[in-house]
Amino acid sequence: MSILALSLPFSDGAPVENVEPITNTITAAQAGGSFPLMWLLIALPAFGAAFLLLAGRRSDKWGHILACLLPIGSFILACMLLVQMMGLPVDDRAVTLNLWNWTFAGSFDAAFALRLDPLSIAFVMLITGVGSLIHIYSIGYMAHDPKRRLFFAYLNLFIAAMLMLVLADNYLLLYLGWEGVGLASFLLIGFWQYKNSAAVAAKKAFVMNRVGDVGLSIAVMLMFVTFGTVTFQNVFEAAPQASETTITLIGLALLLAAVGKSAQFPLQAWLLDAMEGPTPVSALIHAATMVTAGVYLVIRSNAIFDLSTTAVTVVLAIGVITMLMGAWIACAQDEIKKSLAGSTMSQIGYMFLGAGLGPAGYVFAIFHLLMHGMFKADLFLSAGSVMHGNDDQKNMRLYGGLRVAMKVTMVAFFCGFLGISGLPPFDSWFSKDGIIDAALGVNVFAGLCALGAAGLTAFYMTRMLAMTFFGSPRWTEEQHPHESPVVMTAPMLVLSVGALFGGLFFVYVAPIGEWLAPVVGFEESTPVIPEIPLKVLSVTIAVIGIALGWRKYARDDVPKVAPADVSVLTLAGRHSLYGDAFNEAVFMRPGQYVTRWLVWFDNRTVDGAVRGLASGVAGMGDRLRGLQTGFARSYALSMVAGALLLGAVFMAGRWF
């Protein structure tokens, strides 16, 4: 039994039985208190986005302050709602607020309704808390950008859309938030659109996410056709009566959406390119919010996935593949943010692995998601601080020795390193090991793969730490390393505390298992390796990864130019395992050929027929125009000829 499982509310030390999710739901009016105000969680940042977009340049000097205050307000309200929810009985911790019926057609009716339960409030706290810190950090990072007002407007829009996604009480409203997140991410990734790389990255992210979004739209339509409703509770109650084939199709369609949004195999290629956006965008999108939306969708839809062995197996397989791919890529990238992006891909893979374990892994997947939101945001903001203090240099081979010039940044990065590396008693030692523990009890192969990925995690994080802050300086003449302003370092240090002690807090102070299990369910698994030996093994693997990374990269002779004579594995990692090449060969080029053929067919057949008909009519008109001579005798002759022709036709008809 894992440490986290021991925190679940079972009495008398009895074996852990299945914990069924609560189905009872009360209205915000019944709950009273602050619950009728939960709509303000979305409304505050949405107002900020609208105001800053409409206010114009007059708000340039103070717009960023307003943009920071509004998500902070949402965070304060979220804290009030959390405290109030903790005071409710366990069976009443699902509160709905029906604002209005916003769409209906025939028998279809969807309400603009919000749902607050232990799962959604956990996401709300993460989104508003980490999001507020990123807003504050952006004040310093974007201080000299002439379009700072627009940047903060897009940040507010993103927060509002993400909150709508996790607070939605039905799949249609979730879809609205889902698309809003996609739009905001497009605007943020391509914010520096004068750079061709940023514009291309934004378009790639938008298109690849649209591929996944098709899955969500199909799932919503299948739900309505099958169940006659898209409301969570109604769908989950009716799901057991549906055929296995239908449930599997719905589950796979939902998974397609999750894969696109969370950059999982095979729709992962956009994530590394998205690093072209400003660093606060990287922290917001790739640490705490957007890429975790897919995990939320799968776990929120657990009642569907639990009914389909095929769908849940595919979730597990995708998690394992992406977990290893991301770690592989992170080990070979020289750009600091791209290496962190590969790490994000891998850590989200861990979460998908947890979700693919069913009730045995749901709690652990969300636990790791929360921990990842803190230590990865810390790492991204620290990486942005490094770039800010080094003339926007991204290449770690041109860093080295920054521990002297950027002491605060190094401390923050080191805290994030401890949080992700799997060493006790820091964040991932609890959350990641929980997933490994559960995986070994459900699927031994997946558990062993997770152990291997843990070693790779420790290796690539040590590589980043050593290449950036240790060894001798490898700076260029343009670089003049200096510490970032306090408005940037303060949020980093706050996140550092979460990276170090978040796991301890959620296991011993506020048990996350006890909080989430009544919503997502829990089922204890029996791993093939006892808990204590497994903990020792996981720590040993992490220490080995750290030792290998330190030995190879904490030296003074790290070359400024990446060696060309490398192994096939390293070369593949540098090229992101040829994800772009694969997409280009399998999807883009065939799509181009099909498009060119369709254009040719349209021009020659469809448009050609229209143009040909028009030309024929015009030509006939030209010829008939020649008959209009203006001479009466010509017209009389034509009339006589016509009469003779009609007479001949009449006589021929009588003869034959």
Side-chain angles (χ1 to χ4, degrees), residues 103-299:
T103 183
F104 51 88
S107 61
F108 179 74
D109 186 6
F112 198 104
L114 307 180
R115 178 184 180 88
L116 197 68
D117 59 21
L119 178 61
S120 57
I121 191 64
F123 274 84
V124 168
M125 293 294 296
L126 179 68
I127 295 167
T128 57
V130 175
S132 296
L133 292 172
I134 292 172
H135 274 70
I136 296 171
Y137 177 94
S138 300
I139 294 175
Y141 193 89
M142 303 295 291
H144 303 293
D145 196 292
K147 295 183 178 180
R148 181 171 63 171
R149 171 182 56 85
L150 287 177
F151 180 79
F152 277 91
Y154 298 158
L155 284 183
N156 274 196
L157 176 63
F158 187 95
I159 294 292
M162 193 67 199
L163 288 171
M164 181 180 295
L165 191 159
V166 300
L167 286 170
D169 185 54
N170 58 76
Y171 282 100
L172 190 60
L173 186 58
L174 183 149
Y175 187 84
L176 181 62
W178 193 270
E179 292 298 320
V181 167
L183 171 63
S185 66
F186 170 77
L187 296 172
L188 288 169
I189 295 171
F191 184 75
W192 289 331
Q193 56 186 294
Y194 59 86
K195 298 166 52 179
N196 182 65
S197 57
V200 171
K203 289 188 289 185
K204 179 186 288 188
F206 188 82
V207 170
M208 296 193 75
N209 273 270
R210 295 293 77 72
V211 173
D213 295 350
V214 171
L216 184 55
S217 63
I218 292 173
V220 174
M221 289 185 282
L222 284 173
M223 289 176 191
F224 174 69
V225 171
T226 306
F227 310 120
T229 180
V230 293
T231 302
F232 291 153
Q233 188 165 341
N234 295 337
V235 169
F236 300 158
E237 290 176 352
Q241 283 71 52
S243 67
E244 185 177 353
T245 301
T246 301
I247 290 296
T248 298
L249 289 175
I250 294 174
L252 292 177
L254 290 171
L255 178 59
L256 176 60
V259 164
K261 195 68 75 179
S262 294
Q264 298 293 281
F265 175 84
L267 299 178
Q268 81 287 349
W270 66 269
L271 188 64
L272 268 70
D273 289 331
M275 296 298 105
E276 291 294 333
T279 296
V281 176
S282 303
L284 185 64
I285 293 179
H286 307 120
T289 52
M290 179 176 170
V291 292
T292 62
V295 182
Y296 172 81
L297 179 63
V298 172
I299 295 181

Side-chain angles (χ1 to χ4, degrees), residues 7 47-48 60 117 190 194 205 235 291 303 382 425 457 503 525 560 578:
S7 70
F47 168 78
D60 283 348
D117 59 21
Y194 59 86
V235 169
V291 292
S382 298
T457 301
S525 62
K560 291 186 178 182
Y578 303 101

